[in-house]
Amino acid sequence: MLLWFVVLYLMVSVGIGLFAATRVHNARDFAIAGRRLPLPVVTATVFATWFGAEAVFGVSATFVQEGLGGVVADPFGSAMCLIIAGVLFSRYLYKLNIITLGDFYRMRYNRTVEVITTVCIVLSYLGWVAAQIKALGLIFFVVTDGAVSQEAGMILGAAIVLSYTIFGGMFSVAILDFVQMTVSMGGLLFIAWTVSGKVGGGATAVVSHAAAAGKLDFFPAPDPWLWLTFIGTWMTMMLGSIPQQDVFQRITSAKSANIALWGSVAGASIYFCFTFVPMFIAYSATLIDPELFSELLKTDSQLVLPTLVLQHTPILAQVLFFGAVLSAIMSCSSATLLAPSVSFAENVVKGFYPNMNDRQFLRVMRLCLVGFTCMVLVFALRSTATIFEMVENAYKVTLAGAFVPLIAGIFWRKATTQGALAATLGGLISWVLIEVLIGEASLVPPQLIGLGVSILGMVGGSLLPQWVGHHAPGHDPHEFLHHRAAAQTHHAEPEHRH
């Protein structure tokens, strides 16, 4: 019954995604849903930005092992990222009428900065999307009782998500996010209620036990090096995730800047609160059957939740749980497959073929989507990292290479192309060198060193005599960019690319 329910659920999801594809008429519809999404849908799709494999399996397993201090990146850093990004994108970038973050880098700096930052953004998605594909493989392995291997499950999961995303784009993502948010929240709340009834004393006993075991201690011991690691982990997710195309797409698909702002704040708030539900369920497992789950924590902590549900809950709870998990992972993985594909098509490929018409550009986006899905699948099949580690490591590259040029481009009118190039290249090179040569032995997290070098590069490169041509935005870069956006909207032909 459980297996057939999973099959039925997948068929319905694909059907909804393909139905949404009937609303895709051009590349803009495919990339940002034509900027027509209302507040409830924006809220749901922002919530789904992070509520995927890492929230259900990764964060919950890490909490059981390390407590709140171990999950500082997610949900604490990720929720703050969505709020900050909502403010930045709705107030400063929404009026530019662009479809990717790479467009901003080109308008504010030049084509070279656009390509380098876009490559950074695309590469950062490898680990993130691979985590979702790995989780789909885990689900198929569990519900078929091992008949479908995790590797075969990854291939099957990637094919299913690709099947509706390639036709419906952001419309399919948004509509499925809205449906799947309801399913995942309802299913996981029911599981939490069922599981708490199996623990003597209910939810209060679970929380009290976690507090007594030190699992609710958030801040590290008063050691400067521990604090540096703590801050580095927090900032990697909070700041490194801001220059991300899927976050940008979800927020700027809104009907208005006001909806973009409040949708991101509401989605982030719901996400932060709801991520504690899988943590609660996973910790309850260690109290229900300590011997079994202690052994699982040593071998594969990601199996704690599905094993608990399969062995200690009725069939209805199992159906709701796997429906909820599939909802969360599919809604997350579809958008994170779409985002880098759109970015690469718009900010790399289109620069070499600027005279493409809209139909040709839409075809290029879809081809990039297929290519990136294949890359992610290979990465997921070969990687030995856990789901949480994949997600946590994904945004180091954007923190070091793309964050500073974005923030400086918005807020600092003296920022120049030379400064952006120095920030991007300096941050990336220093981060890679520290990561490769020193690695975990580094007292300061390598990505924080990359961020520091990136800031110095932006300031120094912008204030030193200019050797690289740069835009002169006058007294207010926002007026300059908005003037460019208005001109771009007024003319039918594509904006001139530098």
Side-chain angles (χ1 to χ4, degrees):
M1 180 178 175
L2 177 60
L3 178 60
W4 282 112
F5 169 79
V6 170
V7 172
L8 177 64
Y9 182 83
L10 292 172
M11 291 174 63
V12 171
S13 296
V14 171
I16 293 172
L18 293 177
F19 171 75
T22 60
R23 302 189 64 179
V24 176
H25 305 296
N26 53 50
R28 195 170 193 80
D29 288 343
F30 188 81
I32 52 174
R35 297 182 83 171
R36 300 201 295 268
L37 300 184
L39 180 61
V41 179
V42 174
T43 300
T45 197
V46 168
F47 167 84
T49 304
W50 296 116
F51 200 76
E54 79 297 337
V56 178
F57 294 133
V59 173
S60 59
T62 304
F63 170 76
V64 172
Q65 292 176 307
E66 303 176 27
L68 278 184
V71 295
V72 60
D74 191 7
F76 293 92
S78 52
M80 282 302 301
C81 159
L82 292 175
I83 293 173
I84 296 170
V87 173
L88 289 177
F89 297 158
S90 64
R91 292 191 60 187
Y92 299 103
L93 301 188
Y94 189 87
K95 294 179 182 178
L96 297 182
N97 202 25
I98 55 181
I99 66 173
T100 68
L101 279 173
D103 291 342
F104 170 80
Y105 289 113
R106 182 185 70 251
M107 293 170 68
R108 182 64 174 88
Y109 303 113
N110 70 356
R111 166 76 175 155
T112 305
V113 177
E114 172 193 19
V115 172
I116 295 173
T117 52
T118 297
V119 171
C120 285
I121 291 169
V122 170
L123 289 177
S124 72
Y125 278 97
L126 275 175
W128 172 260
V129 190
Q132 315 307 315
I133 300 302
K134 197 165 187 175
L136 286 173
L138 181 66
I139 291 174
F140 288 124
F141 175 76
V142 171
V143 298
T144 60
D145 197 22
V148 174
S149 67
Q150 292 199 37
E151 291 75 16
M154 290 182 204
I155 297 170
L156 179 61
I160 291 170
V161 173
L162 178 64
S163 66
Y164 63 81
T165 308
I166 197 171
F167 293 107
M170 193 60 197
F171 265 123
S172 290
V173 169
I175 292 173
L176 275 171
D177 282 350
F178 186 72
V179 174
Q180 292 170 336
M181 174 183 172
T182 306
V183 174
S184 60
M185 291 182 72
L188 287 171
L189 285 173
F190 180 80
I191 292 294
W193 176 75
T194 302
V195 168
S196 65
K198 294 180 174 295
V199 179
T204 304
V206 177
V207 175
S208 300
H209 190 282
K215 299 298 182 181
L216 302 187
D217 296 339
F218 181 63
F219 295 105
D223 181 316
W225 303 117
L226 290 177
W227 271 88
L228 265 176
T229 303
F230 178 82
I231 293 170
T233 304
W234 195 342
M235 289 181 65
T236 299
M237 189 69 87
M238 181 172 65
L239 303 182
S241 306
I242 290 175
Q244 286 297 318
Q245 178 62 19
D246 68 312
V247 177
F248 175 80
Q249 277 180 210
R250 291 172 186 269
I251 293 172
T252 55
S253 295
K255 287 198 294 187
S256 68
N258 197 43
I259 289 176
L261 173 61
W262 291 109
S264 63
V265 172
S269 302
I270 295 171
Y271 170 77
F272 178 78
C273 296
F274 200 75
T275 308
F276 287 93
V277 175
M279 293 188 216
F280 172 83
I281 298 171
Y283 195 79
S284 299
T286 63
L287 304 183
I288 293 172
D289 194 339
E291 185 176 342
L292 169 64
F293 292 108
S294 295
E295 187 60 32
L296 271 181
L297 285 172
K298 296 175 185 176
T299 55
D300 190 349
S301 59
Q302 294 165 164
L303 286 171
V304 168
L305 268 183
T307 303
L308 167 71
V309 172
L310 285 174
Q311 296 192 9
H312 293 276
T313 63
I315 188 65
L316 174 62
Q318 295 175 29
V319 166
L320 288 173
F321 172 78
F322 286 103
V325 172
L326 279 171
S327 295
I329 297 171
M330 288 174 65
S331 61
C332 188
S333 54
S334 57
T336 47
L337 278 174
L338 178 67
S341 308
V342 169
S343 289
F344 191 79
E346 164 74 6
N347 302 116
V348 178
V349 179
K350 193 175 181 180
F352 294 105
Y353 305 98
N355 297 320
M356 280 191 295
N357 60 37
D358 191 79
R359 184 182 296 273
Q360 291 170 327
F361 184 46
L362 182 56
R363 188 180 301 119
V364 167
M365 283 186 180
R366 285 172 168 155
L367 288 173
C368 289
L369 181 62
V370 173
F372 188 73
T373 303
C374 293
M375 286 176 57
V376 165
L377 184 57
V378 171
F379 184 81
L381 289 169
R382 294 175 63 88
S383 177
T384 57
T386 66
I387 291 171
F388 190 78
E389 287 170 343
M390 282 183 171
V391 172
E392 195 174 19
N393 293 331
Y395 299 118
K396 292 178 180 179
V397 59
T398 43
L399 179 67
F403 175 73
V404 172
L406 175 66
I407 299 301
I410 292 174
F411 293 110
W412 193 35
R413 68 183 183 86
K414 293 183 179 180
T416 65
T417 299
Q418 180 171 281
L421 287 171
T424 301
L425 295 175
L428 287 174
I429 292 171
S430 58
W431 164 64
V432 170
L433 286 176
I434 300 293
E435 196 79 61
V436 172
L437 298 178
I438 303 177
E440 295 182 359
S442 175
L443 294 175
V444 179
Q447 68 271 23
L448 277 192
I449 295 175
L451 176 63
V453 172
S454 184
I455 294 171
L456 291 175
M458 173 58 76
V459 174
S462 298
L463 297 181
L464 287 173
Q466 299 296 302
W467 295 94
V468 178
H470 64 290
H471 296 306
H475 296 294
D476 189 345
H478 310 307
E479 289 182 9
F480 167 75
L481 290 170
H482 292 162
H483 174 74
R484 289 283 301 279
Q488 179 181 350
T489 305
H490 178 72
H491 293 91
E493 294 182 3
E495 174 204 352
H496 173 69
R497 304 180 75 90
H498 301 273

